[in-house]
Amino acid sequence: MKRLYGLCASGISGNMMVGALINLGMSPSYLRAHLAKLNLDGYKLIDEQQVKNGIPGTYFNVELLHYDHHHHDEHHVGEHDDQHDGSEEHGHHVDGAEHRDNDEHDTHADHDTHEHHHEHRGFTEIKEIIEKSKLSPWVKEKSIEAFLNLGLAEAKVHNSNLEEVHFHEVGAIDCIIDIVGTMIGLEFHGIDEVVFSPLHVGQGKVQCAHGIMDIPTPATEALLAEIPYFQTDIEGELVTPTGATIVKTVGAWSDPFMELEEVRSKIMESQKFGIGVGSMELEIPNVLAVAIEEV
């Protein structure tokens, strides 16, 4: 069995997770070929090597074409404009909410002819996009499960229901890419189980569509209800809604939970590890480290 460890000492975002899986050995061309099966357009992907506080890794992001975006950091599904400690700047908007991740490396399908700037996509439509694709059954199942988790969290904090939660087009595309891209990467590496360290969520305030919110935001907090996380004096939204969604969907939790240093040791001892680079400039390295262990 292959187990993937994720060290979230600097939080986690969707684009950081995909970047780590690329750095671990999945080629960007492989990812692009499989994402093309979604038949989405209007974006291009970015993957480049960067260094954060002396640590080299892969920066992945999604750049939306024909959209005047002001990069937020991938705080998805909650309605923020922020910067993720984990480097996510896609614009995820739920019912007007905005979170953003940036990706700019590859172009996907006909990314430019359609202008869906003002469209909204709900859970049902996103589910249909994934179901109609030619992706593997496992990638489809886990991607849909992730959107269900995200949608239910958003519905809970907005006192609505799943069908009333809608993602702005700009948010829906990068959110889909991050979540589906993560599942593609896990399948590529043959991962059977994912174990994350406790999540460093950051602290402070973040600007959202409905005003200023405390970190972690309500949606992220709802997603992490049964998952260990911690705060320090580091300012910023280190765990985005998309990152929290991925952790909730694919994370396996032991009893007792693995401590941060225990996961760090697993990463250091591994012969095969990857680093996903975030966009934020912090006192600590803005990176997500993953490693594979045969168990």
Side-chain angles (χ1 to χ4, degrees):
M1 182 177 83
K2 281 187 178 181
R3 178 180 294 153
L4 183 83
Y5 290 99
L7 181 63
C8 304
S10 185
I12 181 173
S13 62
N15 64 306
M16 288 175 76
M17 184 68 181
V18 177
L21 292 168
I22 290 173
N23 197 254
L24 189 62
M26 173 178 62
S27 72
S29 59
Y30 177 91
L31 176 64
R32 291 193 288 276
H34 282 73
L35 287 174
K37 297 176 182 180
L38 289 166
N39 294 313
L40 290 174
D41 58 25
Y43 70 92
K44 69 176 181 177
L45 304 182
I46 296 169
D47 65 86
E48 58 189 30
Q49 299 309 297
Q50 293 188 4
V51 178
K52 285 285 181 178
N53 297 46
I55 299 178
T58 299
Y59 174 73
F60 172 84
N61 225 326
V62 176
E63 181 177 287
L64 300 169
L65 306 178
H66 303 303
Y67 173 66
D68 182 18
H69 48 284
H70 3 46
H71 307 201
H72 304 80
D73 233 354
E74 166 186 347
H75 288 110
H76 252 141
V77 184
E79 309 186 350
H80 329 348
D81 282 20
D82 35 339
Q83 278 181 306
H84 176 230
D85 175 32
S87 153
E88 245 181 283
E89 320 175 345
H90 291 186
H92 302 162
H93 310 219
V94 180
D95 276 337
E98 256 183 73
H99 315 301
R100 251 188 192 191
D101 273 16
N102 262 7
D103 275 278
E104 37 178 284
H105 187 206
D106 265 62
T107 296
H108 225 299
D110 335 303
H111 35 249
D112 52 90
T113 45
H114 301 21
E115 289 191 47
H116 358 63
H117 314 178
H118 304 297
E119 294 180 15
H120 290 71
R121 283 177 170 158
F123 171 75
T124 299
E125 184 179 353
I126 292 174
K127 181 172 179 282
E128 288 177 354
I129 289 171
I130 295 170
E131 287 179 332
K132 289 179 180 178
S133 73
K134 295 186 181 301
L135 291 164
S136 75
W138 186 86
V139 169
K140 289 182 183 181
E141 177 188 348
K142 299 307 288 185
S143 297
I144 291 170
E145 181 184 342
F147 271 101
L148 178 61
N149 287 332
L150 184 55
L152 290 174
E154 285 293 330
K156 179 180 179 180
V157 301
H158 292 293
N159 195 28
S160 60
N161 59 56
L162 185 63
E163 293 308 313
E164 292 177 335
V165 173
H166 287 80
F167 299 80
H168 229 283
E169 179 70 10
V170 292
I173 289 179
D174 51 10
C175 189
I176 291 170
I177 297 305
D178 282 349
I179 287 175
V180 176
T182 292
M183 304 312 168
I184 290 170
L186 292 174
E187 183 176 67
F188 170 83
H189 288 293
I191 304 302
D192 300 296
E193 182 178 78
V194 183
V195 175
F196 291 101
S197 71
L199 313 183
H200 186 183
V201 299
Q203 68 156 346
K205 306 283 186 180
V206 63
Q207 178 67 51
C208 304
H210 297 301
I212 296 174
M213 292 185 177
D214 289 324
I215 295 171
T217 61
T220 298
E221 196 165 27
L223 287 160
L224 300 182
E226 298 178 1
I227 295 168
Y229 66 86
F230 64 96
Q231 292 178 292
T232 66
D233 59 358
I234 299 294
E235 294 278 338
E237 186 178 29
L238 309 189
V239 174
T240 66
T242 304
T245 297
I246 289 168
V247 171
K248 179 177 177 62
T249 305
V250 302
W253 304 99
S254 58
D255 185 16
F257 294 113
M258 291 188 73
E259 296 296 331
L260 193 72
E261 289 309 314
E262 189 176 356
V263 176
R264 192 189 305 276
S265 294
K266 293 287 187 181
I267 301 287
M268 298 294 288
E269 295 167 3
S270 177
Q271 299 297 309
K272 189 173 179 60
F273 66 90
I275 303 291
V277 175
S279 60
M280 296 178 73
E281 297 299 332
L282 306 169
E283 300 171 33
I284 58 176
N286 183 205
V287 301
L288 169 69
V290 301
I292 294 176
E293 178 184 54
E294 296 276 357
V295 295

